[in-house]
Amino acid sequence: MSTSPSNTYFYIPGLQKSYQVGEQLYVTVVARNFQQNPKQYGGDFFQAKLFSPTLKASVFGEVTDLQNGSYSVRFLLPWAGEAWVGVRMIHSSEVVQVLKKHRESDSDRVFFGGTFVGVDSNGIVQTQTMECNAKWDGPGLERIRKGNCCCEYQDPRTGEVWLCKTPKTLPCDALVYHHMGGYRKQLTPFEAKLMQTKLTNIWIKGNESKIIILPSNKTVGTTEKCRRGLQTPVPAGFYMRDVWTSLVCASSHYNSLAIAKCLKDRQIYMMGDSTMRQWFHYLEKAVPTMKSMNLHSQEQAGPLMAVDAGNNIVLRWRAHGPPLRSLKSPMADLHYISNEIDDLAGGPRTVIVFNLWAHFTTFPLEFYARRVARIRQAVLALLKRAPETIVIIKSANTSYKDVFGSDWLAWQLDTLLRMAFQGINVAFIDVWQMTSCHYSPDAIHPNPTIIRNEIDIMLSFICPV
């Protein structure tokens, strides 16, 4: 009775011989179960794109759930030439329910470790590793609080509490290192069957007709300068010959000299996960005069720093606070984003760029919302004391399709993040659309072509053309 990707299909109602640039194309998706009967309810998770392999062009399709087993997909036709429609069923509605259930009641399926280091009563150095996780009063994280529990580490400013099982012979204040612990795949046999690979992330059958798009007097694009506070339309842009044209604002494209000129006399603070670290490394390598500083820190946690003394550029990256799926890292290096923002004076030469999603996909929405709310509070306070500070938020990108990090889970977090910063004078970069419609395989770390286009948009907000 669950949605079958092989029986689900799409069609193009009223397909025309040709269209013109700037027009809309609508596609209908019909979900069917394994008995080939149409589904009577919605909830399936689809991603859609319009694309042209020869032009290396693509654009994101907006999927609307009609709640009756069918779905409407809207495409903008932004280029002249040929195009085809592609629709993927990422998850059936039944799998979405599995993901939702485990997110709310099985949050410790990803767990962490804490390494305690100290000297025992005999003067011998002891090292003990214990399981750790976030403290949460709701369901999903109860397991760690059973048995010999627990050392509590409360951040005085955020109120966040990190728990570790009490070590056998060392005190709680001997906690030195944090690391990823492991995964618990606690699916029932039926849930595992629903989530098997051959039913996930499948291109569905449909109308394979070539879409002919003719030139028109209507130009797709915008001349509005990039500035903070702009709304993100759907689509937010499109690829043509692997170059992203933003429909949010008039973005530019930057070579090494232009990057250095844009960032001259600025301090750039990057905070978040490894997809934000990709941006740090891109800029570090793109500017020949930028020199990496060896801070003897752990790569996955940071802090990392690069400096261009001639152009007076300081570039920093550090991971967000726990939970963080990292190798062994000093606990002292894991700072909460809101605390970092609180400690900055800000100003017209300060740029703050952050993201927050990949390490939170297994946690309840309320847990994530609390973290986002505290960051929002810090951003509002920063913009009050230093309104010229440039704050840029990077969205989630498409990647995993499993119970630990599914696109559906990431999309829920991303939607909440966008809502939290609605109406605030920040810039939002929609890399979800940029990754979901590109021809490269889904990856938690997008390929260099996508990163280059993401950086171009970021720089366009810092240095509007």
Side-chain angles (χ1 to χ4, degrees):
M1 301 301 292
S2 65
T3 309
S4 163
S6 59
N7 293 332
T8 297
Y9 65 95
F10 70 87
Y11 67 93
I12 306 172
L15 176 63
Q16 301 175 23
K17 289 184 178 180
S18 64
Y19 297 82
Q20 289 190 323
V21 169
E23 290 185 336
Q24 311 273 345
L25 177 72
Y26 287 88
V27 172
T28 299
V29 177
V30 178
R32 294 190 173 212
N33 62 26
F34 281 85
Q35 298 174 341
Q36 300 197 17
N37 295 321
K39 296 288 290 287
Q40 301 300 312
Y41 52 90
D44 301 299
F45 189 51
F46 293 98
Q47 289 177 15
K49 67 178 181 178
L50 192 75
F51 67 98
S52 171
T54 55
L55 296 174
K56 289 189 175 180
S58 56
V59 66
F60 177 84
E62 183 178 33
V63 180
T64 301
D65 187 346
L66 302 179
Q67 301 295 325
N68 61 1
S70 62
Y71 303 77
S72 176
V73 187
R74 181 184 66 87
F75 294 103
L76 174 68
L77 305 179
W79 66 80
E82 58 190 25
W84 286 265
V85 172
V87 180
R88 283 187 289 175
M89 191 181 91
I90 305 299
H91 293 303
S92 68
S93 59
E94 289 74 22
V95 167
V96 167
Q97 293 305 310
V98 172
L99 294 171
K100 187 175 181 180
K101 167 196 163 186
H102 283 272
R103 180 188 66 189
E104 300 303 325
S105 63
D106 185 25
S107 296
D108 64 352
R109 61 189 181 279
V110 170
F111 59 95
F112 304 88
T115 300
F116 294 76
V117 181
V119 179
D120 65 13
S121 57
N122 297 319
I124 300 173
V125 175
Q126 295 281 331
T127 299
Q128 295 169 22
T129 298
M130 309 302 294
E131 184 175 332
C132 304
N133 220 315
K135 183 178 182 180
W136 181 244
D137 293 332
L141 288 166
E142 308 95 330
R143 192 188 333 256
I144 193 173
R145 298 165 80 171
K146 296 177 181 177
N148 186 25
C149 180
C150 277
C151 294
E152 294 194 7
Y153 305 93
Q154 182 172 24
D155 181 77
R157 289 194 277 179
T158 65
E160 298 267 3
V161 181
W162 191 248
L163 295 178
C164 289
K165 289 280 193 179
T166 306
K168 296 177 181 177
T169 59
L170 293 174
C172 287
D173 63 6
L175 177 63
V176 178
Y177 298 105
H178 166 90
H179 63 87
M180 173 65 186
Y183 297 89
R184 299 184 181 102
K185 200 166 186 177
Q186 304 195 124
L187 298 172
T188 67
F190 178 64
E191 289 172 341
K193 191 173 182 180
L194 282 173
M195 292 198 68
Q196 57 189 308
T197 305
K198 66 181 181 180
L199 302 180
T200 298
N201 194 25
I202 304 296
W203 294 100
I204 65 173
K205 299 188 297 287
N207 191 322
E208 297 181 358
S209 299
K210 182 193 299 185
I211 311 298
I212 304 298
I213 309 167
L214 303 176
S216 72
N217 294 328
K218 185 174 182 180
T219 302
V220 173
T222 178
T223 58
E224 182 169 13
K225 283 190 174 184
C226 294
R227 58 178 174 80
R228 294 168 291 160
L230 289 176
Q231 298 295 308
T232 302
V234 179
F238 64 94
Y239 287 105
M240 170 58 73
R241 306 200 186 284
D242 261 348
V243 175
W244 181 263
T245 296
S246 173
L247 299 180
V248 177
C249 57
S251 60
S252 187
H253 306 291
Y254 295 78
N255 58 24
S256 295
L257 288 175
I259 294 174
K261 183 179 178 181
C262 175
L263 299 183
K264 183 178 174 63
D265 292 325
R266 296 185 190 272
Q267 294 197 63
I268 301 93
Y269 297 86
M270 294 181 164
M271 295 169 265
D273 58 34
S274 56
T275 64
M276 179 60 68
R277 191 172 74 239
Q278 281 186 281
W279 285 18
F280 171 88
H281 285 311
Y282 180 94
L283 292 171
E284 173 193 28
K285 294 172 184 175
V287 180
T289 49
M290 189 85 75
K291 303 300 179 186
S292 176
M293 308 296 291
N294 185 357
L295 302 183
H296 306 284
S297 56
Q298 210 283 327
E299 166 76 8
Q300 292 177 316
L304 306 179
M305 178 185 287
V307 175
D308 182 341
N311 287 303
N312 195 31
I313 302 169
V314 181
L315 180 66
R316 297 177 174 89
W317 173 87
R318 73 179 318 131
H320 56 66
L324 186 74
R325 303 176 199 174
S326 69
L327 297 175
K328 189 176 180 181
S329 311
M331 279 293 296
D333 281 340
L334 302 184
H335 297 186
Y336 292 101
I337 290 176
S338 56
N339 289 348
E340 287 290 297
I341 293 174
D342 282 340
D343 290 340
L344 295 175
R349 292 295 169 182
T350 299
V351 180
I352 296 171
V353 193
F354 72 86
N355 76 330
L356 192 76
W357 68 278
H359 299 259
F360 292 82
T361 50
T362 55
F363 288 88
L365 273 182
E366 287 183 47
F367 178 86
Y368 178 75
R370 183 176 65 184
R371 182 73 61 93
V372 169
R374 182 65 188 87
I375 297 172
R376 181 182 187 274
Q377 184 181 20
V379 169
L380 286 171
L382 170 69
L383 295 178
K384 186 175 182 179
R385 66 177 176 269
E388 292 179 290
T389 308
I390 297 173
V391 178
I392 299 172
I393 303 174
K394 184 173 85 71
S395 79
N397 56 259
T398 53
S399 56
Y400 299 131
K401 310 287 188 279
D402 59 35
V403 73
F404 301 110
S406 159
D407 277 358
W408 183 84
L409 294 168
W411 179 244
Q412 308 308 303
L413 302 181
D414 206 54
T415 301
L416 196 155
L417 181 69
R418 293 167 193 253
M419 292 173 64
F421 284 89
Q422 189 77 19
I424 297 176
N425 199 25
V426 299
F428 198 93
I429 299 179
D430 193 322
V431 304
W432 183 273
Q433 295 188 40
M434 298 177 74
T435 50
S436 67
C437 76
H438 196 258
Y439 60 80
S440 58
D442 285 321
I444 186 68
H445 300 121
N447 71 23
T449 298
I450 295 175
I451 297 299
R452 171 174 52 81
N453 282 288
E454 292 173 352
I455 292 291
D456 280 346
I457 300 174
M458 181 194 77
L459 294 170
S460 295
F461 278 107
I462 298 171
C463 307
V465 292

